[in-house]
Amino acid sequence: MIRTPLRPLARVIAARAEGDDPDVIEQTNIRERRRIEEGRVLARTRTRLWMLGGLFSICFAMIGFQMVALAVSQPEEPKARVQGTSILANRSDILDRNGRVLATNMETYSLYAHPQDVVDPVEAALSLAEIFPDIDPVQMAARLSGPQKFMWIKRSISPEQQQAVHDIGDPGLLFGPREMRLYPNGQLAGHVLGGASFGVEGTHSAEVVGTAGVEKAFDTYLRDPKFGGQPLQLSLDLTVQAGLEDVLFGGMRLMNAKAASAVLMDVHTGEIISLVSLPDFDPNLRPTPLTEGDRSDDPLFNRAVQGLYEFGSTYKLFTTAQAIELGLVNPGTMVSTAGPMRVGGHEIEDFSDYGPQMTVEKVLVKSSNIGTVHLANQIGTERQKAFLDRLGLMTPTPIELIEGPTGRPQTPDPWRDIHRATISYGHGMSTTQVHMAAAYASIVNGGTRVTPTLLRQDQTVQGARVISPETSRQVTAMLRKVVTEGTASYGEVPGYAVGGKTGTADKPNPRGGYYDDKVLSSFASVFPSHDPQYVLIVTLDEPEVFAFGEDRRTAGWTAVPVAAEVIRRIAPLLGVRPTVEPDTEPGVVLTAN
Amino acid sequence: MKSVIVAFVILCTVGLAVWSYSEINTSKETLDEIAELNADIARSKSRLRKLNAEWAYQNRPERLAALALEKFEHLELTVLSRDHFVPLDQVPFANVYAAEPPLAPITTPVEIMNRGAAQ
């Protein structure tokens, strides 16, 4: 580049020659040079500004494009999921105590229609009616031709039915994946499991919600994905449940009873190993509840948990145990059994005349009402109420079934002397079978309170003390004598040393009073009585059997043989080995020093 | 010197761009693979549940009792009773292991997991 000098010599000489100031030339040149420089800087700045503007425009355009792309595109799950599969985990399974499946899920399909897409509504309706016999073709054709845009046809269908609907080939008939609850064992433990149905439904999935039993009681747990599909393990034993249901059903038929129920409980943990209520139902096809008539005739009615009954003489154990615990009597104390006896204007009688007096043990073994009332009179009302409360007989059981709280015991208010007397032998107060099982377990397990539960327990939690271990041992030995010498002689099962107490209660008439020929017979048993492990309560509703020339309804003739057969069947399944009963009577008796 | 630095930076940028492009592609492929594996796990789980349900259904006590009755002539299975309990020393154990040589170790394991899953 050729730079123009600020003071060109020729012009300076010429200016000097003319007498001008040569500095003017220099200043002019400086100005010119600055002008050129400024022009160059301006051009460069302008270029930079343009480039910067272009860059920003490109950035804005890119961001804008990305925003539009995000706004218009379909949302999709991020691919990089850590626990992608756990989302697919659905309602948890329910298992028995040995891990066998009681309730699980099954993938199936629902059938729905878009009536506007149906090509031939009449033909489609006829074909559907052939596949599903409960569909009315005329009604279905009308619905398929209607203005509706969407309609459900079937909530869940089998693969065969799905194929048949596919074969119709109508584009308006569509399938949605659906998960249904399956109870593979059918009716077994139906009352405990309850059942499930669909909650909120969409075409792609539906919520399965529990409707009764443990399904409803544990609905939140079973549905919560937080637990990752961890199964719910119950205390029930499937094999024992099957054996018990089998024998009880046979017994019910044999004894001409209209219904039967049974509860089998572990005396140490309070776990319910089996709970049966007959007639029963299949939770896969849960029937609709009865809207009229006696509620207890409904197969859905859980007699063992919801049924409140007077259990009759089985209550005598509580009175006897309390009298011994309070030190008022011992098993050998003589008690008056002279009758008839009058309390509060009511007459109390025995089944037969037992003479003027008997030992406390005999009162229980022979089941004397009068003798038991004498014991209750010694105990007193307040102590009686407090003891029954300690056994858990005054409040609903905490059993984990949605129906549990409905089994609220019915007790008299006020609790008069006549109530004290009748309750001592099991009349005038209604409880459930689960109450009875827990109370018997509390008495025979060494005397600590047992809380009934349907969940498998891995360790024993010792409850509050109800009676002393010594009293527990004494009354359990008395229960054994009821079988060997008393009213429950048909309850003997060799090798299992069954002990128990019978109870026959007249059924209350809804019109007032009691029926003469309808009873509820129960047998509360414990086995083996020298080392109690299980309590079994069997109840038959309105049994009647013809034996030795007359109709017999008492528990000794009805509930006891059924319970004995149950124990014969299930004790080996429970792993209880038959044992030779230790001799309870002392071999040598000290008569004098 | 300046132009060398500029050339080096441009080369680095191009190199990084190529590397990140290939990384993006690899991650996309891996993600697809994971998605496929997840779907596979889900299918296997679902199949397992179905098989468990089927197993429970086939082994329901009612069916087993009926089968035991039907095959009584061959199997002679009866309801477990107290007579079936004996002390351990009275159980006649056959000494089967003494007579037979031990089995050879498995050298060619066969993968059977998910076999037939597609059916």
Side-chain angles (χ1 to χ4, degrees):
Chain A
M1 177 184 160
I2 298 163
R3 292 189 66 177
T4 310
L6 290 175
R7 294 172 73 93
L9 196 59
R11 286 181 65 189
V12 169
I13 292 168
R16 276 186 186 158
E18 286 176 22
D20 290 340
D21 187 0
D23 289 347
V24 175
I25 296 169
E26 185 182 0
Q27 281 163 6
T28 310
N29 279 341
I30 287 172
R31 270 201 303 276
E32 180 63 18
R33 197 180 275 188
R34 277 185 188 157
R35 195 185 57 77
I36 293 166
E37 184 66 20
E38 277 171 4
R40 200 183 295 145
V41 169
L42 194 67
R44 200 166 60 210
T45 310
R46 196 173 287 151
T47 313
R48 282 181 181 173
L49 278 173
W50 271 111
M51 281 177 68
L52 213 58
L55 199 68
F56 269 94
S57 301
I58 290 170
C59 287
F60 274 114
M62 280 172 70
I63 293 169
F65 177 75
Q66 192 66 18
M67 283 167 71
V68 172
L70 279 176
V72 300
S73 63
Q74 288 289 326
E76 75 180 52
E77 291 281 329
K79 282 183 180 171
R81 287 173 302 184
V82 181
Q83 290 180 323
T85 49
S86 72
I87 295 167
L88 296 163
N90 19 42
R91 195 176 176 85
S92 303
D93 288 353
I94 300 177
L95 309 177
D96 85 336
R97 63 185 300 113
N98 301 317
R100 293 180 69 177
V101 178
L102 295 174
T104 184
N105 302 310
M106 188 79 178
E107 278 176 22
T108 173
Y109 285 89
S110 62
L111 175 61
Y112 62 96
H114 284 164
Q116 75 275 18
D117 297 334
V118 175
V119 179
D120 185 349
V122 178
E123 180 59 34
L126 284 172
S127 311
L128 284 173
E130 264 177 44
I131 303 163
F132 307 103
D134 57 323
I135 287 181
D136 177 27
V138 180
Q139 219 174 6
M140 182 53 70
R143 286 180 68 199
L144 287 174
S145 326
Q148 259 183 305
K149 295 280 181 209
F150 175 88
M151 59 181 266
W152 286 111
I153 297 176
K154 281 278 163 191
R155 295 292 197 260
S156 56
I157 57 174
S158 70
E160 291 82 6
Q161 289 168 333
Q162 190 192 10
Q163 188 54 48
V165 177
H166 262 309
D167 291 344
I168 300 174
D170 201 301
L173 300 175
L174 302 161
F175 305 101
R178 186 56 66 93
E179 191 133 280
M180 63 173 250
R181 201 67 166 156
L182 179 77
Y183 304 94
N185 304 301
Q187 302 202 334
L188 215 57
H191 281 105
V192 176
L193 296 168
S197 64
F198 293 119
V200 180
E201 293 182 286
T203 51
H204 293 297
S205 62
E207 194 181 38
V208 179
V209 291
T211 47
V214 285
E215 286 275 24
K216 190 160 188 186
F218 287 98
D219 200 35
T220 320
Y221 173 85
L222 293 167
R223 284 162 65 184
D224 202 338
K226 185 170 71 185
F227 299 108
Q230 196 70 15
L232 178 72
Q233 195 158 31
L234 300 186
S235 59
L236 293 187
D237 185 318
L238 186 68
T239 318
V240 175
Q241 178 81 13
L244 183 50
E245 277 198 31
D246 197 21
V247 177
L248 195 66
F249 182 74
M252 183 178 89
R253 297 288 295 273
L254 212 63
M255 299 297 168
N256 303 306
K258 73 167 194 176
S261 50
V263 175
L264 176 72
M265 184 184 279
D266 185 312
V267 297
H268 299 293
T269 59
E271 291 170 288
I272 294 173
I273 309 293
S274 178
L275 189 147
V276 183
S277 172
L278 298 174
D280 58 359
F281 66 95
D282 185 349
N284 291 306
L285 305 163
R286 194 176 159 83
T288 46
L290 284 186
T291 47
E292 53 187 32
D294 189 357
R295 187 163 160 254
S296 66
D297 290 338
D298 191 347
L300 292 174
F301 185 73
N302 188 342
R303 308 178 72 85
V305 175
Q306 294 172 285
L308 290 165
Y309 305 111
E310 294 179 358
F311 281 95
S313 304
T314 48
Y315 262 59
K316 285 175 186 159
L317 177 77
F318 309 140
T319 311
T320 312
Q322 190 183 10
I324 295 175
E325 176 66 15
L326 291 171
L328 303 173
V329 291
N330 63 47
T333 309
M334 298 305 281
V335 181
S336 166
T337 51
M341 183 186 190
R342 290 193 76 78
V343 178
H346 294 79
E347 199 165 277
I348 291 168
E349 292 175 330
D350 274 333
F351 191 68
S352 55
D353 186 9
Y354 297 121
Q357 56 178 15
M358 284 201 295
T359 60
V360 169
E361 187 179 87
K362 283 283 179 199
V363 165
L364 188 74
V365 169
K366 295 291 177 193
S367 198
S368 163
N369 293 342
I370 296 171
T372 312
V373 172
H374 279 299
L375 293 179
N377 287 345
Q378 288 187 54
I379 292 167
T381 306
E382 287 311 313
R383 287 199 291 193
Q384 183 188 40
K385 275 169 76 172
F387 186 68
L388 294 177
D389 192 27
R390 280 211 300 281
L391 286 172
L393 292 169
M394 308 284 271
T395 46
T397 58
I399 189 168
E400 299 89 348
L401 289 176
I402 201 74
E403 298 87 358
T406 58
R408 175 175 288 280
Q410 289 174 353
T411 51
D413 187 25
W415 197 293
R416 299 181 200 282
D417 288 353
I418 180 66
H419 297 125
R420 181 184 68 216
T422 58
I423 285 171
S424 74
Y425 59 87
H427 288 78
M429 176 173 168
S430 305
T431 47
T432 69
Q433 226 168 338
V434 174
H435 279 104
M436 290 302 288
Y440 261 72
S442 304
I443 297 276
V444 302
N445 72 353
T448 52
R449 169 91 181 259
V450 159
T451 311
T453 176
L454 269 169
L455 295 183
R456 189 191 152 134
Q457 308 291 310
D458 291 324
Q459 55 193 29
T460 311
V461 180
Q462 199 163 43
R465 183 151 292 286
V466 182
I467 55 171
S468 67
E470 178 56 22
T471 310
S472 171
R473 196 192 57 74
Q474 286 178 344
V475 292
T476 311
M478 285 187 199
L479 288 178
R480 174 70 185 137
K481 286 204 169 167
V482 175
V483 174
T484 54
E485 302 170 13
T487 52
S489 53
Y490 288 126
E492 178 66 356
V493 181
Y496 289 110
V498 179
K501 182 75 196 82
T502 55
T504 310
D506 291 334
K507 284 186 74 174
N509 189 336
R511 293 178 192 156
Y514 288 88
Y515 286 113
D516 289 335
D517 57 350
K518 289 183 180 176
V519 299
L520 190 86
S521 76
S522 313
F523 184 50
S525 54
V526 48
F527 63 93
S529 53
H530 50 272
D531 175 24
Q533 290 182 35
Y534 296 98
V535 156
L536 172 74
I537 315 280
V538 169
T539 299
L540 298 178
D541 195 353
E542 298 180 20
E544 191 173 317
V545 65
F546 188 79
F548 294 98
E550 60 177 298
D551 284 331
R552 297 181 190 268
R553 301 186 188 92
T554 55
W557 286 94
T558 54
V560 174
V562 175
E565 193 52 40
V566 167
I567 293 170
R568 195 170 287 125
R569 176 78 172 270
I570 63 170
L573 296 175
L574 288 163
V576 182
R577 287 177 55 188
T579 47
V580 177
E581 202 176 347
D583 195 358
T584 47
E585 300 296 330
V588 179
V589 179
L590 184 67
T591 53
N593 274 326
Chain B
M1 186 63 197
K2 194 181 168 188
S3 55
V4 172
I5 292 171
V6 170
F8 179 73
V9 168
I10 289 171
L11 271 177
C12 279
T13 314
V14 171
L16 279 173
V18 170
W19 175 78
S20 59
Y21 181 74
S22 69
E23 281 302 301
I24 287 172
N25 272 350
T26 320
S27 346
K28 275 186 180 167
E29 271 170 27
T30 314
L31 283 178
D32 284 346
E33 207 174 312
I34 290 172
E36 211 167 290
L37 283 174
N38 274 341
D40 203 19
I41 291 170
R43 271 196 300 275
S44 297
K45 275 193 171 178
S46 142
R47 194 165 153 269
L48 185 65
R49 289 174 81 98
K50 208 175 275 181
L51 288 173
N52 274 336
E54 178 75 15
W55 180 255
Y57 181 68
Q58 297 293 349
N59 283 289
R60 63 193 189 278
E62 186 191 357
R63 180 170 178 270
L64 292 185
L67 282 176
L69 198 66
E70 194 183 308
K71 306 287 177 196
F72 185 78
E73 276 181 32
H74 304 288
L75 302 172
E76 296 184 0
L77 293 173
T78 56
V79 172
L80 188 65
S81 78
R82 63 195 170 91
D83 308 327
H84 295 126
F85 287 83
V86 288
L88 198 59
D89 54 5
Q90 288 182 17
V91 180
F93 286 108
N95 195 2
V96 286
Y97 300 109
E100 290 178 20
L103 294 173
I106 298 168
T107 51
T108 52
V110 181
E111 176 63 57
I112 57 161
M113 274 279 285
N114 261 2
R115 177 166 284 192
Q119 281 94 34

